[in-house]
Amino acid sequence: MTSTVPAPSTRTAEGSALQAVLLDMDGTLVDTEGFWWDAEVEVFADLGHRLDPTWKHIVVGGPMTRSAGYLIEATGADITLPELTVLLNDRFEQRITRGVPLMPGAARLLAELAAHRVPTALVSASHRRIIDRIVTSLGPSHFHLTVAGDEVERTKPHPDPYLLAAARLGAEPARCAVIEDTATGVAAAEAAGCRVVAVPSVAPIAPASGRVVVGSLEEVDLAFLSTLITGMH
């Protein structure tokens, strides 16, 4: 990815500009949260265990270590976390080779951000091998950089991934708009001090101070994101 980040054309007053847009991947830009669950169900079936559908809301949106660790504990499966991580990534990767559906409004939003030269980063808890495959569907040119879950010491819900992305883009976290679909991702972005747009995919997310909840990316455009920053008090 390029290290030259052009200045966004979203300044309305000195110090009130949107400096960068940071986007989650699974469930936010691509409709893959169900893919992850299906992969988990299949892998555990191979291990002789049936997953309870209610667990989906618990494991969605989290880092692989948390989700996989929870499922090992819940099922009592005789497998280590590193072994399970490999199996899950392999099974998920098999699924996305057949194509990745984009969320409604994702392609338009990415195109608009690129057209206005807004510094944009993809920030995901997924591993690098998965991100690189999915970015080919999203268009690598839409992102100045990507941050993977296995490239930071602490991934979501910790703020580290978003702090790293903002720093690499030369942006202040408070001038970054983050788009997330899960409570885990929202917690990470808010802990980093970013303004958040939540687009819930599996479990509901309540509105809160500094956070806006919308029904889909079709409700989000550059003007909307800019207002989120300029409306800070």
Side-chain angles (χ1 to χ4, degrees), residues 108-209:
R108 174 203 48 80
L109 177 60
L110 290 175
E112 182 182 13
L113 294 175
H116 288 83
R117 304 177 70 227
V118 178
T120 305
L122 186 68
V123 183
S124 176
S126 291
H127 290 190
R128 170 56 57 190
R129 59 183 285 196
I130 300 299
I131 287 181
D132 287 346
R133 277 194 173 272
I134 292 181
V135 164
T136 61
S137 298
L138 292 169
S141 62
H142 286 128
F143 305 102
H144 293 82
L145 61 90
T146 60
V147 176
D150 56 342
E151 295 174 340
V152 288
E153 185 174 343
R154 301 186 308 169
T155 188
K156 305 172 187 179
H158 298 286
D160 306 34
Y162 282 112
L163 291 173
L164 178 62
R168 287 182 175 175
L169 291 174
E172 302 171 46
R175 304 295 175 186
C176 293
V178 169
I179 305 179
E180 274 279 0
D181 72 304
T182 67
T184 299
V186 168
E190 291 180 344
C194 303
R195 306 289 281 189
V196 179
V197 178
V199 192
S201 64
V202 176
I205 298 173
S209 177

Side-chain angles (χ1 to χ4, degrees), residues 5-223:
V5 181
S9 55
T10 55
R11 185 173 297 278
T12 56
E14 186 61 36
S16 299
L18 171 68
Q19 293 181 344
V21 176
L22 315 178
L23 304 109
D24 174 54
M25 186 177 73
D26 294 298
T28 299
L29 291 177
V30 289
D31 191 7
T32 49
E33 292 291 16
F35 285 23
W36 278 114
W37 177 249
D38 291 344
E40 289 160 347
V41 168
E42 292 172 6
V43 167
F44 275 89
D46 291 344
L47 296 171
H49 297 274
R50 180 182 177 275
L51 299 189
D52 187 324
T54 61
W55 296 343
K56 182 176 181 179
H57 296 289
I58 299 173
V59 301
V60 69
M64 175 76 74
T65 51
R66 190 198 73 183
S67 300
Y70 174 86
L71 293 175
I72 290 174
E73 184 175 351
T75 61
D78 183 19
I79 189 171
T80 67
L81 185 58
E83 290 169 341
L84 179 58
T85 297
V86 171
L87 292 179
L88 291 175
N89 274 324
D90 285 347
R91 192 64 60 94
F92 182 80
E93 200 164 358
Q94 291 170 12
R95 287 183 165 273
I96 64 177
T97 57
R98 300 193 289 269
V100 180
L102 271 61
M103 297 297 284
R108 174 203 48 80
L109 177 60
L110 290 175
E112 182 182 13
L113 294 175
H116 288 83
R117 304 177 70 227
V118 178
T120 305
L122 186 68
V123 183
S124 176
S126 291
H127 290 190
R128 170 56 57 190
R129 59 183 285 196
I130 300 299
I131 287 181
D132 287 346
R133 277 194 173 272
I134 292 181
V135 164
T136 61
S137 298
L138 292 169
S141 62
H142 286 128
F143 305 102
H144 293 82
L145 61 90
T146 60
V147 176
D150 56 342
E151 295 174 340
V152 288
E153 185 174 343
R154 301 186 308 169
T155 188
K156 305 172 187 179
H158 298 286
D160 306 34
Y162 282 112
L163 291 173
L164 178 62
R168 287 182 175 175
L169 291 174
E172 302 171 46
R175 304 295 175 186
C176 293
V178 169
I179 305 179
E180 274 279 0
D181 72 304
T182 67
T184 299
V186 168
E190 291 180 344
C194 303
R195 306 289 281 189
V196 179
V197 178
V199 192
S201 64
V202 176
I205 298 173
S209 177
R211 177 197 314 166
V212 177
V213 181
V214 299
S216 84
L217 290 180
E218 294 181 318
E219 300 176 43
V220 181
D221 58 16
L222 180 54

